[in-house]
Amino acid sequence: MIVSENFSGLSRWVYHGDPSSDMPGIFKLIPYLRDQGWEVHLLYLGSEIGDSDEVRDGIWFHRRHVWDVSSIFFRISTFARATLECNRLVRRIRPHLLYGMGYLAMVTSLSGSLNKIPVVSRLFGTFLHHKLNERPLWRILLDPKAMMEVGAFKAPASSLIVTDDGTAGDKVAKQLGVARRLHFWRNGVDLPRERSTEEKQALRERWNIPL
């Protein structure tokens, strides 16, 4: 079961099946897991009105509404509702694995600990990287948004996955002392197109690269 925060563009895929979402790391992962024979459930929390549970293309979508009054209120209320809904779904479907995206990895960590289910956290360093270089950790934790991001990295998990997507999540993991659980992978969803033989030859000649 996957629990995801409201990443930019993701709602277009979750609600309308629009593949133009700019979060390929999740909307390509889920169909892949389905095609490997897994029963996949996605718990998604966003500001779109209404709750619903739907099976589409062999994937379970559990959509839950959270009022978007302000950035901080939305994060806190999303965390609270995600905790409640995640535990309800875990008791109902008994998943083999919990996969938490972003700061909601704290939710899957808690639910996994309570229900003895392995947890994988997929995290990003976007928000924390520069803050950790500019100020001490105790000052960062005064910001509720930053506190949630730190909590996601610190929360117990079987594995912590970060890719070389430019968000410096690997550096954040090391600075927060959780590098032991870190799996730093190549970003495998935004691969460049295969170059033609002619293009490869031109590059070798341009950079004087021997065969």
Side-chain angles (χ1 to χ4, degrees):
M1 187 172 86
I2 298 171
V3 180
S4 175
E5 62 174 283
N6 183 20
F7 289 107
S8 172
L10 184 57
S11 64
R12 295 196 302 272
W13 180 67
V14 172
Y15 281 87
H16 309 294
D18 182 353
S20 64
S21 165
D22 54 5
M23 279 300 295
I26 189 166
F27 80 72
K28 289 188 177 181
L29 168 68
I30 292 178
Y32 172 80
L33 293 174
R34 174 204 60 199
D35 294 344
Q36 297 303 305
W38 292 94
E39 180 179 302
V40 184
H41 293 253
L42 171 65
L43 172 59
Y44 172 83
L45 296 102
S47 57
E48 293 81 359
I49 297 296
D51 295 352
S52 63
D53 297 277
E54 173 193 16
V55 182
R56 187 176 73 228
D57 298 327
I59 300 164
W60 278 93
F61 292 88
H62 306 279
R63 297 178 284 253
R64 300 294 183 265
H65 170 252
V66 179
W67 290 105
D68 190 2
V69 178
S70 68
S71 176
I72 295 301
F73 175 84
F74 182 73
R75 276 204 162 215
I76 294 174
S77 55
T78 295
F79 176 79
R81 181 141 203 220
T83 302
L84 176 65
E85 295 294 338
C86 180
N87 281 295
R88 283 178 176 172
L89 285 170
V90 163
R91 287 194 298 269
R92 195 173 88 200
I93 67 178
R94 300 303 302 175
H96 291 90
L97 177 74
L98 289 172
Y99 187 99
M101 296 277 291
Y103 72 91
L104 291 185
M106 286 193 296
V107 172
T108 50
S109 175
L110 175 62
S111 186
S113 297
L114 290 175
N115 296 280
K116 295 181 171 47
I117 299 171
V119 174
V120 172
S121 297
R122 172 67 174 96
L123 302 177
F124 311 87
T126 312
F127 186 72
L128 286 177
H129 176 50
H130 294 296
K131 288 185 178 294
L132 286 169
N133 292 326
E134 295 169 356
R135 63 193 73 171
L137 182 59
W138 69 267
R139 285 191 58 194
I140 293 174
L141 294 177
L142 296 177
D143 178 348
K145 181 178 178 181
M147 181 174 64
M148 288 183 173
E149 296 284 343
V150 171
F153 275 90
K154 290 282 194 178
S158 305
S159 296
L160 193 165
I161 296 175
V162 169
T163 69
D164 59 346
D165 53 11
T167 67
D170 58 317
K171 295 181 175 64
V172 172
K174 291 173 183 175
Q175 287 174 287
L176 293 177
V178 295
R180 182 178 58 83
R181 294 183 282 119
L182 176 65
H183 296 275
F184 185 49
W185 293 345
R186 181 184 181 190
N187 179 11
V189 294
D190 298 317
L191 298 176
R193 64 180 177 81
E194 178 65 23
R195 296 184 182 275
S196 67
T197 303
E198 292 77 14
E199 288 176 305
K200 291 176 182 178
Q201 181 61 35
L203 285 172
R204 290 193 185 99
E205 293 174 357
R206 178 181 177 185
W207 298 106
N208 195 27
I209 300 173
L211 292 174

